[in-house]
Amino acid sequence: LRPPIPVPQTLTSPLPSSHSYRGLTLVLTFLSYTSYHLSRKPISIVKSQLHPNCSALGPNPHNDSNSSTWCSWAPFDGGNYKELFGALDNAFLVAYAIGMFISGIFGERLPLRYYLSGGMVLSGLFTALFGLGYFWDIHALWYFIVVQVCNGLVQTTGWPAVVACVGNWFGKGKRGLIMGIWNSHTSVGNILGSLIAGAWVSSAWGLSFIVPGIIIATVGIICFFFLVEYPEDVDCNPPLHHVMTTSEKDPEAVTSNEAPLSLSGQSSVDHSNSPKEPAEEPEAISFLEALRIPGVVEFSLCLLFAKLVSYTFLYWLPLYIVNVAHFGAKEAGDLSTLFDVGGILGGIFAGLISDYTGGRATTCCVMLVVAAPMLFLYNHVGQNGIGTSIAMLIICGALVNGPYALITTAVSADLGTHESLKGNAKALSTVTAIIDGTGSIGAALGPLLAGLISPTGWNNVFYMLIAADVLACLLLARVVVKEARGWCGYMARQRGYVVT
């Protein structure tokens, strides 16, 4: 027998396992979508500065006739400022909703790393352009509307890409809990966006947009260099600095037994040392084929109303606190972050319960039912003391954002890898885009309706939000009944009965 050939030390050095890359994917996609929401939040903080209560600042130093709005930023210094704010929100959200249906199609056909990184850099550019309106002394409404529309379109690159990446790396075992924790990026981004925007809102509100724009563009560049889209794109044998792309894969590569399982239960990577035949990639499914997946329509329509409520709070809560509790712009922005703290807890709780029970729809429905009376209570007693306000904001945030988080993450990933697709992972991006795109229609309607209804009184805005929660719950009734029948059948089998 020949002695073993010595192997160079560089080839025997410790190499990252698939778990390392899995963790890296979670961290990078978390940071990516955190930065997306971080860049969306400043508009809600800056609203109260674009049309503040000028009389509280003292006499008008300009000595002109328009003494009540001398400190406002034109064109938001008129009596129709709430409608103009609603138009700004709607410009972004309508563009986002329309672009989302298209984004999933592109996301399936383009490298996710390029698609995500390019979208983040462009999002940073348009976010910064809004803030530059302050330094360039721009007072034309069309400028801010155009920037919002462009930003809404490019921000659609984010959600289908990050969900597809995470769905590629994680199976269904504890997907609800994992993605519930991971989905806290939405609330973390909102909190950071509020704090960053609040730091400059009273001094130079343009920086409230420029700094988040720089942050999201920087994270996009980091993702371009380090994000790994698929487990099969990783060979644990090359040097650490080399991450292989699909076109560079070695046909004789041997991967670890830690590779995620496919729907059939077999490893998604071939463990043989023999050369692999080039596998035929499944074709991306069409829009109509994705709609035919059981549950897609129901959860999409439910998300429309759930997201309507969530985004109304996202864009109008600081202004509501300023008007009702009479706090300053920075204090209202800081207090509004508690709603997102509740959102983090609600997303984790919803994922954990739905994993344990197997009832995604039932978990959403129960939280939506409880959310309706809590919204009513917050509007009527939520401002009776700072302690009450904090508690009510956290509870409402958990109940409102829990179903929203569960549907956009675990449910989307479950339906995108449904057994009817026979292992075709190409559907994940399209299904995610359909569900979140439909939800984005509600996200566009909520702030628009709030802008139109709020002049008649904030009570009417909350009645609209409660009605939306009830409708979201009703739209899941058929899926809830199906889950209940499954539980009854399981309990009957446990007792030894045969269910026909």
Side-chain angles (χ1 to χ4, degrees):
L1 294 175
R2 289 182 296 175
I5 300 173
V7 181
Q9 183 64 28
T10 55
L11 296 180
T12 58
S13 57
L15 295 167
S17 67
S18 64
H19 287 300
S20 301
Y21 285 105
R22 195 178 290 184
L24 178 64
T25 301
L26 267 186
V27 171
L28 287 179
T29 52
F30 183 93
L31 292 176
S32 296
Y33 218 69
T34 295
S35 63
Y36 271 104
H37 267 264
L38 181 149
S39 68
R40 295 175 194 174
K41 186 65 177 178
I43 185 65
S44 68
I45 305 298
V46 172
K47 279 177 184 175
S48 57
Q49 186 64 27
L50 295 177
H51 190 97
N53 181 10
C54 297
S55 60
L57 301 178
N60 178 10
H62 305 297
N63 295 318
D64 56 25
S65 58
N66 194 12
S67 59
S68 62
T69 59
W70 62 267
C71 66
S72 299
W73 186 269
F76 308 104
D77 55 350
N80 63 338
Y81 70 99
K82 288 184 180 179
E83 288 82 354
L84 295 184
F85 288 154
L88 281 183
D89 298 338
N90 210 47
F92 176 91
L93 294 168
V94 169
Y96 185 88
I98 294 172
M100 184 59 73
F101 290 103
I102 306 170
S103 181
I105 298 172
F106 283 110
E108 288 185 357
R109 292 160 175 80
L110 296 174
L112 292 175
R113 184 166 58 93
Y114 294 161
Y115 193 54
L116 178 63
S117 302
M120 294 178 74
V121 171
L122 288 174
S123 296
L125 171 64
F126 289 115
T127 301
L129 281 174
F130 195 105
L132 287 172
Y134 171 82
F135 296 100
W136 293 342
D137 200 27
I138 295 175
H139 297 276
L141 180 63
W142 67 263
Y143 172 83
F144 298 107
I145 293 288
V146 169
V147 170
Q148 285 287 81
V149 168
C150 294
N151 201 10
L153 289 173
V154 297
Q155 289 230 351
T156 61
T157 57
W159 191 242
V162 296
V163 172
C165 285
V166 173
N168 291 334
W169 280 93
F170 289 88
K172 289 189 178 182
K174 295 294 180 184
R175 181 178 279 170
L177 176 59
I178 291 171
M179 299 194 87
I181 298 172
W182 173 77
N183 192 65
S184 63
H185 52 52
T186 299
S187 298
V188 171
N190 291 339
I191 293 170
L192 291 177
S194 298
L195 297 177
I196 292 172
W200 289 284
V201 65
S202 299
S203 55
W205 62 258
L207 291 174
S208 298
F209 291 90
I210 293 173
V211 173
I214 294 172
I215 292 174
I216 187 174
T218 303
V219 176
I221 293 170
I222 293 172
C223 285
F224 177 80
F225 287 107
F226 296 104
L227 183 64
V228 183
E229 302 171 24
Y230 302 98
E232 56 266 29
D233 287 346
V234 177
D235 186 345
C236 291
N237 292 324
L240 289 177
H241 68 271
H242 182 68
V243 178
M244 293 167 54
T245 62
T246 305
S247 60
E248 297 173 325
K249 285 188 288 184
D250 179 4
E252 297 184 5
V254 181
T255 60
S256 72
N257 59 6
E258 296 171 326
L261 297 181
S262 65
L263 291 175
S264 62
Q266 301 299 319
S267 175
S268 61
V269 183
D270 188 0
H271 291 259
S272 66
N273 288 324
S274 58
K276 294 187 280 188
E277 293 295 326
E280 225 179 90
E281 291 215 357
E283 293 184 3
I285 68 171
S286 69
F287 186 87
L288 291 177
E289 288 173 329
L291 283 177
R292 284 196 287 266
I293 298 172
V296 167
V297 173
E298 289 90 343
F299 279 107
S300 297
L301 293 175
C302 173
L303 185 62
L304 187 152
F305 291 101
K307 206 166 181 180
L308 182 153
V309 178
S310 180
Y311 268 66
T312 301
F313 272 91
L314 174 67
Y315 282 92
W316 286 91
L317 181 58
L319 187 61
Y320 169 78
I321 294 173
V322 168
N323 289 346
V324 176
H326 307 293
F327 286 173
K330 186 179 186 307
E331 292 77 10
D334 292 344
L335 188 59
S336 69
T337 61
L338 294 171
F339 183 81
D340 295 298
V341 171
I344 296 174
L345 300 176
I348 296 173
F349 181 76
L352 182 64
I353 295 298
S354 68
D355 276 342
Y356 180 76
T357 62
R360 308 278 199 220
T362 306
T363 303
C364 291
C365 204
V366 170
M367 296 185 80
L368 289 168
V369 167
V370 180
M374 292 306 300
L375 290 174
F376 180 85
L377 288 175
Y378 173 68
N379 182 44
H380 286 82
V381 301
Q383 308 306 325
N384 294 346
I386 189 66
T388 304
S389 183
I390 290 173
M392 295 294 292
L393 275 173
I394 293 175
I395 294 171
C396 287
L399 294 172
V400 167
N401 286 329
Y404 164 35
L406 186 61
I407 294 173
T408 53
T409 54
V411 171
S412 296
D414 289 348
L415 297 177
T417 54
H418 195 266
E419 58 266 17
S420 64
L421 297 169
K422 300 177 181 177
N424 181 3
K426 285 279 189 178
L428 186 53
S429 184
T430 296
V431 170
T432 300
I434 289 174
I435 293 176
D436 199 53
T438 307
S440 298
I441 297 174
L445 285 174
L448 174 65
L449 291 174
L452 296 174
I453 297 172
S454 57
T456 67
W458 287 105
N459 286 343
N460 295 330
V461 174
F462 275 85
Y463 294 147
M464 180 266 291
L465 298 179
I466 292 169
D469 256 338
V470 172
L471 285 172
C473 181
L474 292 176
L475 286 165
L476 283 183
R478 191 184 71 85
V479 186
V480 170
V481 169
K482 184 178 179 181
E483 289 177 351
R485 286 176 176 171
W487 289 327
C488 291
Y490 174 78
M491 293 171 64
R493 287 191 297 272
Q494 291 292 100
R495 294 190 182 99
Y497 294 104
V498 179
V499 180
T500 58

